[in-house]
Amino acid sequence: MSTYTRTSLRAAIATGAVATAAVAGALLTPATAFAQSGPCQVTEKIPSAFGGMSVSLTSDPGTGPIAVLRDADGKAVATVDRAHPTDLADGIKIEEPKGGAPVFYQRSQGGDTAWQSHAFPALPKSCTETGVTYKLVDGESVKVTKSGPGQYSAVAAAGGKSVTVLQTRATGWDADGFYRGMHVTLSSKTGQVYSEYTDSRSGCIVSTVVTSVFHDGGSVKLTIGPEGPKAVLRDSALKAGATVDRAHPSDLGAGVIIEGAKSATPKLGQRTQGGSAPYTYSAFPELPAGCASGTPAKAATGATAAAAKTPANAPVQNGGQTTVVPKGAVAAGAEFQQGGSDTGVLVAGGAATAAVAGGIGFVALRRRAAGRV
């Protein structure tokens, strides 16, 4: 709640200096003024219900609507936003009708005094781009839409229900997660989706994908075969980076090591800091029965070979924008797995578990700072 009271507001606007400034402002400036501070952020200045004051209404797809009550000098007096939409002490509030545009309300008196309403400024059409459809490695389609700079959502239709697979919040913060036996990534720069099977096998060579501790969208592919273990650090486009294996089990510069590289139970260690910082460990998959070390690997054929691939399918342009709202319970058979350590990354103020419990199927995305490699 604001520390300002209705009495202090009236006292402020009752002073001669404020009254003079208010009259001068009314003569020199239009009733409303628009300003666009970014490609997807628009602000409109409107008169306050309190004479001599103003309200700045800002539309931003990333943060939601924000209304700031300002005094005659432009100093912020009170603020309402999506997280705190009502300030009755200062007579301002925001309402967002389901499926509708947000509206700002204000009044100078309490009780039965009527509220004055004003719609928030509309965002440019370029802020909501036409959706693009990608096919995942298993043939399932996901549609990607953009709501702002670096803000993409990838939505799939599972069991007749819309499921938000991944979301990005800002450029440089790519997303990845595990969905229906696949590892899926979403670029915050282009909206491109990449996918691969989480587990695959080609003869006596077995692979699995685990999350990376280094940056958003990154992952590590762990492979084991007769020649021993190998771990490949990849970016969100599945492009290979640092590699460690039995012959070269450590890359301290990249923060990855293989412990027990010559044993039957090797494990990958990752860390983002040097010195005495601890490693985060992931076990390598087990060798299949009959594939002891030294046994030549067999070439993959048919479905096994297809499962070992990690393609990024070409997008198919859709005819128009579609807004997908997840509804109902999580589709039967869908698998969701949290990656990384941040539990409140998809829905402001809520963890992935709460999102699923509320009937929204989210695959968790990881929000670690980029460029820690």
Side-chain angles (χ1 to χ4, degrees):
M1 178 159 304
S2 171
T3 57
Y4 290 81
T5 65
R6 190 59 48 84
T7 301
S8 64
L9 289 174
R10 291 197 179 113
I13 62 176
T15 62
V18 173
T20 302
V23 173
L27 294 174
L28 297 175
T29 61
T32 61
F34 291 87
Q36 189 165 340
S37 57
C40 287
Q41 185 183 83
V42 181
T43 298
E44 178 184 359
K45 182 179 179 181
I46 66 172
S48 167
F50 297 98
M53 303 185 76
S54 64
V55 181
S56 297
L57 304 179
T58 299
S59 295
D60 187 313
T63 62
I66 301 174
V68 181
L69 178 65
R70 300 182 184 278
D71 63 18
D73 296 323
K75 182 180 179 180
V77 172
T79 300
V80 286
D81 54 24
R82 180 168 286 166
H84 304 92
T86 303
D87 183 347
L88 296 180
D90 291 316
I92 55 176
K93 66 178 182 177
I94 296 174
E95 292 186 1
E96 292 188 80
K98 187 175 181 180
V103 179
F104 171 71
Y105 292 88
Q106 60 174 329
R107 64 183 182 180
S108 59
Q109 300 288 339
D112 297 330
T113 303
W115 291 87
Q116 301 175 26
S117 64
H118 192 97
F120 277 79
L123 289 167
K125 292 183 179 180
S126 59
C127 291
T128 306
E129 296 186 352
T130 299
V132 179
T133 298
Y134 294 86
K135 282 191 176 297
L136 301 180
V137 66
D138 71 343
E140 184 175 356
S141 296
V142 295
K143 185 171 183 178
V144 177
T145 55
K146 182 179 180 181
S147 60
Q151 298 168 359
Y152 292 93
S153 295
V155 178
K161 299 177 176 63
S162 296
V163 177
T164 298
V165 178
L166 290 172
Q167 289 180 325
T168 61
R169 298 300 190 189
T171 302
W173 293 82
D174 294 352
D176 79 309
F178 297 92
Y179 173 69
R180 292 180 175 271
M182 295 174 285
H183 173 239
V184 185
T185 70
L186 176 62
S187 169
S188 61
K189 184 177 181 180
T190 64
Q192 172 80 40
V193 172
Y194 295 86
S195 68
E196 61 186 333
Y197 288 107
T198 305
D199 302 303
S200 60
R201 176 182 175 183
S202 178
C204 283
I205 298 176
V206 184
S207 298
T208 192
V209 179
V210 299
T211 57
S212 165
V213 300
F214 298 107
H215 59 82
D216 284 338
S219 61
V220 184
K221 189 167 188 177
L222 304 181
T223 301
I224 193 166
E227 301 302 320
K230 181 172 73 171
V232 181
L233 183 65
R234 292 105 44 90
D235 62 16
S236 61
L238 308 183
K239 183 178 180 181
T243 299
V244 287
D245 53 25
R246 176 178 288 177
H248 304 91
S250 67
D251 187 333
L252 299 182
V256 289
I257 63 170
I258 297 178
E259 289 195 2
K262 296 182 180 180
S263 73
T265 56
K267 58 182 181 180
L268 172 75
Q270 305 180 68
R271 65 181 183 180
T272 60
Q273 303 290 334
S276 59
Y279 284 95
T280 297
Y281 289 96
S282 301
F284 277 79
E286 295 182 1
L287 277 172
C291 292
S293 179
T295 303
K298 299 179 180 179
T301 59
T304 302
K309 297 180 181 178
T310 57
N313 298 278
V316 178
Q317 293 290 344
N318 285 340
Q321 169 77 23
T322 300
T323 301
V324 182
V325 180
K327 298 178 180 178
V330 179
E335 301 170 3
F336 303 97
Q337 180 174 335
Q338 174 85 21
S341 59
D342 194 336
T343 58
V345 295
L346 289 172
V347 181
T353 302
V356 173
I360 303 176
F362 284 102
V363 168
L365 63 89
R366 294 175 295 111
R367 306 277 299 182
R368 292 184 295 275
R372 293 184 187 172
V373 179

